[in-house]
């Protein structure tokens, strides 16, 4: 009759073992947009974030997975901004042609050719998205960043308590305006 190993004995082994269910279940709640992102990239990202945080126990591991998801979404915000700028730059020839055609129709002058200087000027003004897009990006990025920092602070406090240390942060929870 063969005996049971009883699982890992070291602290590091126990910590790694406690993450197995989450690590192997990362695809179930993956924040992956299937058309443009891969499950494999998400799993690699999440595993690296979890390993960096070194959580112990279920709650710390779940918070580490949350941090991974927030970082994943923050990366997506940067990609959105870059793609928005790329699309605006690709529109330069069409926009210039339409504007030049309209101006020629109004003024009766021939359509002006696109010069390198005019192209550079159009490129420069399109390197930053318009105010509505910047506001949208900034709000979303700020929200995700705040959630990430709160999650990391919670993990840090839990880990400090587990080590018998005082949590390194002072906390103030504000849930809204005071009642009457």
């Amino acid at each position: 009759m063969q005996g049971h190993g009883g699982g890992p004995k070291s602290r590091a082994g126990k910590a790694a073992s406690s993450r197995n269910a989450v690590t192997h279940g990362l695809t179930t709640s993956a924040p992956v947009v299937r058309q443009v992102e891969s499950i494999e990239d998400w799993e690699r990202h999440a595993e690296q974030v979890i390993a960096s945080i070194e959580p112990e126990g279920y709650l710390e591991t779940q918070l580490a997975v949350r941090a991974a998801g927030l970082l994943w979404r923050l990366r997506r915000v940067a990609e959105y901004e870059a793609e928005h700028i790329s699309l605006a730059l690709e529109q330069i020839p069409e926009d210039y042609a339409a504007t030049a055609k309209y101006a020629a129709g109004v003024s009766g002058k021939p359509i002006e050719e696109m010069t390198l200087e005019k192209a550079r000027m159009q490129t420069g003004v399109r390197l930053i998205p318009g105010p509505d897009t910047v506001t949208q990006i900034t709000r979303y990025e700020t929200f995700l960043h705040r959630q990430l920092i709160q999650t990391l602070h919670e993990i840090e406090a839990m880990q400090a308590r587990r080590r018998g240390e005082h949590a390194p942060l002072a906390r103030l929870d504000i849930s809204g305006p005071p009642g009457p």
Side-chain angles (χ1 to χ4, degrees):
M1 185 163 147
Q2 215 171 358
H4 294 284
K9 303 294 184 233
S10 71
R11 183 176 173 151
K14 289 177 183 180
S17 176
S18 75
R19 291 189 302 270
N20 283 344
V22 172
T23 300
H24 298 299
L26 285 174
T27 57
T28 59
S29 62
V32 173
V33 177
R34 293 182 313 271
Q35 294 84 347
V36 294
E37 299 170 333
S38 78
I39 291 288
E40 293 79 17
D41 287 345
W42 157 250
E43 288 176 342
R44 189 171 28 263
H45 164 81
E47 287 170 4
Q48 289 174 351
V49 171
I50 292 167
S52 294
I53 293 173
E54 298 179 345
E56 284 190 24
Y58 184 78
L59 185 54
E60 283 183 25
T61 303
Q62 289 300 314
L63 289 171
V65 172
R66 176 174 167 74
L70 290 163
L71 284 166
W72 183 263
R73 292 167 61 200
L74 275 166
R75 175 200 49 79
R76 194 181 294 144
V77 173
E79 287 180 10
Y80 173 83
E81 179 183 25
E83 190 61 31
H84 194 277
I85 293 168
S86 292
L87 288 172
L89 293 173
E90 288 174 9
Q91 287 293 122
I92 290 174
E94 290 176 33
D95 291 349
Y96 185 77
T99 301
K101 185 176 179 181
Y102 175 77
V106 170
S107 70
K109 296 179 183 176
I111 295 176
E112 293 183 33
E113 292 295 320
M114 172 69 94
T115 64
L116 183 57
E117 183 180 328
K118 289 177 184 176
R120 283 186 181 146
M121 187 174 74
Q122 286 296 313
T123 299
V125 298
R126 294 170 190 237
L127 287 178
I128 296 178
D132 291 342
T133 303
V134 168
T135 299
Q136 180 184 21
I137 290 169
T138 303
R139 283 184 179 165
Y140 190 55
E141 186 174 36
T142 300
F143 169 76
L144 291 174
H145 183 261
R146 188 177 303 122
Q147 293 295 308
L148 174 63
I149 295 303
Q150 288 174 350
T151 301
L152 293 175
H153 284 174
E154 190 58 40
I155 293 168
E156 186 177 290
M158 290 177 74
Q159 290 176 336
R161 284 192 301 270
R162 182 172 24 86
R163 291 187 303 262
E165 302 168 1
H166 290 289
L169 303 171
R171 293 168 182 233
L172 174 62
D173 290 329
I174 301 174
S175 58

